[in-house]
Amino acid sequence: ISQRIYIALIIIFLYAPILVLIVLSFNKSKSRSKWGGFTFDWYKRLFQNENILNALVCNPFAPKSLAALITFSSIFSNVL
């Protein structure tokens, strides 16, 4: 197998499940195995949930502060 085919297979293996989840997130049926039609109802319910909206507002600060903490700790661990 050539290197390009090998890389293509790896990319398909990694991205196919993501694409399936994206498509199924618009499924009208609660079952993942049966297509019930196209709908935005799940996303409407998602953005009406107050707990999820609060998490979306608070959550962007956590990765930035964690990245800064890891950066500073790695710098100081190399200095010491």
Side-chain angles (χ1 to χ4, degrees):
I1 296 181
S2 73
Q3 186 176 2
R4 288 184 181 177
I5 294 174
Y6 183 68
I7 291 173
L9 289 174
I10 291 173
I11 290 173
I12 290 169
F13 180 75
L14 291 174
Y15 285 104
I18 296 170
L19 293 175
V20 168
L21 286 175
I22 290 170
V23 170
L24 290 179
S25 72
F26 295 103
N27 189 3
K28 194 172 195 174
S29 172
K30 287 187 178 183
S31 171
R32 287 172 286 203
S33 62
K34 181 181 176 188
W35 181 255
F38 185 85
T39 185
F40 285 110
D41 290 341
W42 299 115
Y43 287 101
K44 288 178 188 174
R45 290 179 60 189
L46 172 76
F47 290 111
Q48 290 174 350
N49 189 327
E50 192 170 325
N51 291 331
I52 292 176
L53 292 177
N54 288 336
L56 288 173
V57 171
C58 297
N59 206 17
F61 300 109
K64 293 175 186 173
S65 60
L66 184 59
L69 178 67
I70 291 170
T71 302
F72 287 124
S73 65
S74 64
I75 290 171
F76 290 121
S77 67
N78 288 332
V79 171
L80 300 176

